[in-house]
């Protein structure tokens, strides 16, 4: 463990526990904050201490997305008053799926979000398994993506799985599945997913895959939001008589009854990281974040 003297980690309201772990791994000072939400929805944040030296602000942008985004920007802006070296760590970067114009006249909001972090005073950005590298390119200042795949694989290595097969629910995630499988020492496949851009409905277009039969499956994705992708992938794999199905991702948003629907589709366990706290957040990403900062 490196001791980064003169470093302060500020834990935003959405990432307090994770920020504490990052501070402890770095051997840095930790400063928390108080959050008060006014009746009209405005956030009022007060730092619990005075930061000094270089400052790391840790605040994920998960629901309520816009509120957590403003809180992240407010903390970066406040930190900038104490230091010119502000490192904005946004473990889950909301809006990263709006990284390009999919349909005519759509607003590419990721571009605005990136500009706002710069305007608020961030000198550097760190994100974890951002949805796409295109999203990262919107940051016109030093920015880095770190992956939690190593940490997730460590969790699965401790389990006794039957001839596991790693599955990406879509072709876009094939690289992630390949990395995961490589570290786990097993094979992988990628399904062909189609999402209707207007309705959001997901369909799996892949045909039968003989590799699947009787094997335990780990479906790997960057994030689970409504659960639609995992549900369709599980249904597809179960028809082919696979073994147990596990679903893993870095960011588990699990909107509405997603968890219930995923379990109903035959998934035995959902394993995610603490970029978004919750029942499935069994894997700690602070080692990856601390390594990247140090
Ligand atoms: C899509 O490209 C992403 O990698 C995820 O597969 C997707 O965002 C998950 O969303 P949902 O859980 O709503 O299907």
């Amino acid at each position: 463990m490196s001791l980064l003297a003169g470093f302060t980690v500020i834990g935003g309201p959405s990432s307090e526990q994770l920020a504490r772990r990052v501070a402890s791994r770095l051997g840095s000072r930790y400063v928390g904050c108080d959050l008060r939400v006014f009746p009209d929805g405005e956030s009022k944040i007060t730092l619990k201490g005075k930061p000094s030296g270089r400052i790391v602000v840790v605040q994920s942008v998960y629901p309520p997305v816009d509120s957590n985004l403003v809180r992240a920007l407010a903390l970066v802006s406040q930190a900038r008053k104490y230091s010119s070296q502000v490192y904005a760590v946004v473990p889950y970067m909301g809006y990263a799926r709006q990284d390009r114009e999919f349909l005519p006249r759509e607003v590419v909001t990721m571009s605005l979000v990136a500009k706002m972090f710069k305007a608020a005073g961030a000198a550097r950005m760190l994100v974890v398994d951002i949805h796409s590298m295109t999203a990262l390119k919107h940051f016109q200042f030093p920015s880095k993506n770190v992956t939690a795949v190593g940490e997730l694989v460590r969790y699965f290595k401790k389990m006794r799985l039957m001839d596991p097969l790693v599955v990406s629910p879509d072709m876009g995630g094939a690289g992630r599945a390949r990395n995961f499988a490589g570290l786990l020492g097993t094979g992988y496949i990628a399904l062909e997913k189609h999402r209707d851009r207007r309705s959001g409905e997901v369909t799996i277009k892949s045909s039968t895959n003989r590799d699947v039969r009787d094997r335990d499956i780990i479906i790997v994705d960057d994030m689970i939001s409504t659960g639609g992708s995992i549900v369709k992938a599980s249904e597809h794999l179960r028809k082919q008589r696979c073994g147990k199905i596990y679903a893993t991702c870095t960011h588990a948003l699990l909107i509405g009854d997603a968890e219930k629907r995923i379990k109903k589709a035959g998934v035995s366990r959902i394993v995610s990281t603490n970029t978004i706290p919750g029942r499935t957040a069994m894997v700690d990403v602070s080692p990856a974040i601390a390594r990247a900062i140090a």
Side-chain angles (χ1 to χ4, degrees):
M1 190 188 296
S2 65
L3 187 77
L4 293 187
F7 229 95
T8 304
V9 175
I10 297 178
S14 68
S15 298
E16 203 186 319
Q17 294 304 322
L18 177 54
R20 277 185 195 281
R21 285 173 186 244
V22 170
S24 132
R25 286 186 183 276
L26 291 173
S28 305
R29 245 185 95 219
Y30 175 80
V31 170
C33 57
D34 276 324
L35 169 68
R36 193 171 152 209
V37 180
F38 288 115
D40 63 358
E42 281 182 10
S43 302
K44 171 107 184 154
I45 305 175
T46 311
L47 293 184
K48 286 183 180 164
K50 198 173 167 190
S52 54
R54 284 177 294 170
I55 301 177
V56 179
V57 173
V58 187
Q59 163 85 351
S60 268
V61 176
Y62 57 78
V65 171
D66 292 343
S67 296
N68 276 328
L69 173 61
V70 168
R71 292 165 194 166
L73 294 166
L75 284 169
V76 168
S77 163
Q78 184 66 10
R80 182 65 186 82
K81 293 183 181 162
Y82 297 94
S83 170
S84 59
Q85 295 290 312
V86 179
Y87 211 138
V89 177
V90 182
Y92 171 64
M93 176 58 82
Y95 283 106
R97 285 180 292 177
Q98 297 189 43
D99 59 353
R100 67 198 85 173
E101 193 182 313
F102 292 99
L103 295 173
R105 298 175 302 284
E106 277 181 354
V107 176
V108 182
T109 305
M110 189 63 234
S111 160
L112 168 68
V113 170
K115 285 180 197 144
M116 288 198 295
F117 273 101
K118 189 169 184 205
R124 308 175 79 86
M125 286 295 302
L126 183 73
V127 292
V128 182
D129 286 326
I130 193 165
H131 178 67
S132 74
M133 286 305 133
T134 306
L136 195 68
K137 283 190 190 136
H138 288 289
F139 292 92
Q140 300 287 314
F141 58 104
S143 55
K144 191 172 179 181
N145 178 66
V146 295
T147 183
V149 164
E151 267 72 28
L152 289 168
V153 168
R154 218 162 287 142
Y155 178 96
F156 281 94
K157 271 192 172 164
K158 290 185 197 140
M159 292 176 69
R160 285 195 180 167
L161 300 175
M162 283 276 291
D163 191 16
L165 179 69
V166 174
V167 178
S168 167
D170 51 44
M171 292 294 174
R176 181 180 311 110
R178 187 178 55 236
N179 290 345
F180 197 109
L183 293 171
L184 193 63
T186 184
Y188 78 97
I189 58 168
L191 303 178
E192 210 179 311
K193 178 178 96 177
H194 172 75
R195 186 189 291 274
D196 185 299
R197 284 271 159 221
R198 290 187 197 277
S199 68
E201 187 161 349
V202 169
T203 41
I204 300 289
K205 295 211 178 274
S206 298
S207 49
T208 304
N209 190 304
R210 266 179 275 117
D211 287 347
V212 169
R213 198 170 174 133
D214 294 330
R215 293 178 76 175
D216 284 347
I217 302 292
I218 307 171
I219 305 176
V220 181
D221 212 340
D222 60 328
M223 61 190 289
I224 303 176
S225 180
T226 64
S229 305
I230 300 289
V231 165
K232 293 292 176 179
S234 309
E235 288 170 354
H236 173 81
L237 295 161
R238 273 180 70 202
K239 275 189 209 143
Q240 298 175 53
R241 305 200 185 160
C242 63
K244 280 191 165 186
I245 304 178
Y246 300 90
T248 190
C249 66
T250 305
H251 317 292
L253 289 163
L254 295 171
I255 304 298
D257 62 352
E259 190 176 349
K260 205 165 137 197
R261 290 192 304 108
I262 289 171
K263 294 276 172 68
K264 200 168 159 214
V267 172
S268 310
R269 196 182 301 179
I270 304 169
V271 179
S272 64
T273 79
N274 54 355
T275 59
I276 300 178
R279 288 188 332 145
T280 62
M282 302 171 200
V283 173
D284 176 25
V285 289
S286 67
I289 293 175
R291 268 196 306 274
I293 294 170

